[in-house]
């Protein structure tokens, strides 16, 4: 579909997420979601694609939009890698999460998943961005519920292909990304497997707390026994 249809989906998802993010005022989140892709239609971004979001901030500020909205337009693509700064402003976090989750839900819905080393649509990077946004901002987000809402937004699109997102499969994809993210911090991947196997855990903050608790227990005498 069009960029406008995408921002409509992002707006609905960001509104749901704003209820789970302290300080994310729904009106500002909705406005930022509506404007976040507008600069893609400009000749400036057409000539210099790396300015997407950056130009959006300038345009939004010049049009008198609130600072939180302009910042969210600029920051909603972040984080774009392990060394990129992660947004912390509530409005920016809500729109950034919605944008990335919408992308993943769409591609997984048509079974266009990364294979081996091939990831032409940077879906692994999007998943890592979601993980960082959630963990670094200490957000309690039920991912399966949010995935289902993202899937529903696609299903309501009249021209969309038959979308059948398996939220469990997308959660497994996140588990793999989380292992990679935590391995660099010395966390054992089998501890993560154990916690995921417990009950399909989809709250990343609680999952990490359980992984840490499991690690502490296994390091004790009782755990070794």
């Amino acid at each position: 579909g069009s960029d406008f249809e995408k921002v409509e989906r992002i707006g609905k998802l960001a509104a749901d997420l704003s209820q789970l993010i302290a300080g994310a005022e729904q009106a500002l989140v909705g406005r930022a979601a509506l404007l976040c892709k507008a600069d893609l239609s400009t000749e400036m971004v057409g000539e210099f694609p790396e300015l997407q979001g950056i130009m959006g901030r300038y345009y939004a500020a010049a049009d008198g939009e609130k600072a939180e909205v302009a910042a969210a337009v600029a920051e909603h693509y972040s984080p774009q890698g392990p060394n990129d700064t992660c947004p912390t402003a509530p409005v920016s976090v809500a729109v950034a999460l919605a944008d990335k989750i919408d992308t993943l839900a769409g591609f997984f819905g048509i079974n266009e998943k990364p294979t081996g080393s091939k990831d032409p649509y940077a879906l692994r990077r999007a998943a890592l961005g979601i993980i960082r946004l959630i963990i670094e901002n200490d957000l309690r987000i039920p991912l399966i519920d949010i995935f289902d809402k993202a899937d529903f937004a696609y299903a309501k699109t009249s021209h969309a292909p038959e979308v059948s997102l398996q939220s469990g499969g997308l959660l497994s994809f996140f588990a793999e990304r989380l292992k990679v993210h935590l391995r660099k911090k010395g966390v054992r991947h089998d501890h993560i497997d154990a916690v995921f196997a417990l009950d399909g855990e989809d709250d990343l903050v609680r999952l990490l707390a359980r992984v840490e608790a499991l690690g502490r227990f296994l390091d004790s005498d009782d755990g070794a026994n």
Side-chain angles (χ1 to χ4, degrees):
S2 66
D3 285 334
F4 180 68
E5 288 170 318
K6 181 170 179 67
V7 299
E8 282 190 312
R9 293 195 307 270
I10 291 173
K12 291 173 184 174
L13 197 57
D16 291 327
L17 287 163
S18 68
Q19 299 176 37
L20 304 169
I21 301 171
E25 188 178 328
Q26 193 161 337
L28 297 179
V29 169
R31 187 66 180 163
L34 179 66
L35 297 175
C36 68
K37 304 295 184 186
D39 66 348
L40 297 181
S41 66
T42 65
E43 292 184 16
M44 178 66 80
V45 175
E47 186 72 21
F48 304 103
E50 65 274 14
L51 294 181
Q52 63 181 12
I54 296 171
M55 291 310 301
R57 182 205 295 264
Y58 285 119
Y59 295 135
D63 278 352
E65 299 291 341
K66 291 192 175 181
E68 299 96 323
V69 172
V73 171
E75 295 176 346
H76 84 280
Y77 291 106
S78 298
Q80 298 192 56
N83 300 316
D84 193 19
T85 302
C86 189
T88 56
V91 176
S92 299
V93 170
V95 180
L97 280 172
D99 181 37
K100 293 171 177 60
I101 291 171
D102 175 77
T103 296
L104 282 168
F107 279 110
F108 270 69
I110 59 171
N111 202 33
E112 191 71 52
K113 306 171 185 176
T115 56
S117 61
K118 294 182 179 179
D119 186 13
Y121 305 111
L123 302 185
R124 293 188 180 102
R125 187 175 70 185
L128 179 58
I130 293 167
I131 288 169
R132 285 191 59 197
L133 283 161
I134 291 173
I135 293 174
E136 294 180 28
N137 289 289
D138 199 32
L139 302 177
R140 307 301 302 275
I141 293 179
L143 284 174
I144 288 181
D145 180 52
I146 293 297
F147 293 158
D148 286 339
K149 287 178 177 175
D151 180 35
F152 183 67
Y154 275 99
K156 287 185 69 178
T157 306
S158 59
H159 62 267
E162 187 64 34
V163 176
S164 180
L165 172 66
Q166 298 297 319
S167 296
L170 189 48
L171 190 64
S172 297
F173 178 67
F174 268 78
E176 292 303 316
R177 293 300 91 209
L178 188 60
K179 289 177 196 174
V180 172
H181 179 65
L182 294 179
R183 194 174 297 137
K184 298 174 183 176
K185 300 184 178 182
V187 179
R188 287 176 49 176
H189 66 86
D190 55 338
H191 291 185
I192 302 170
D193 281 337
V195 173
F196 264 101
L198 181 63
D199 58 0
E201 179 64 84
D202 69 340
D203 179 332
L204 297 187
V205 171
R206 187 170 59 197
L207 182 146
L208 290 181
R210 285 177 164 176
V211 168
E212 290 171 6
L214 178 61
R216 286 194 302 270
F217 173 69
L218 292 177
D219 285 340
S220 68
D221 290 339
D222 285 341
N225 290 335

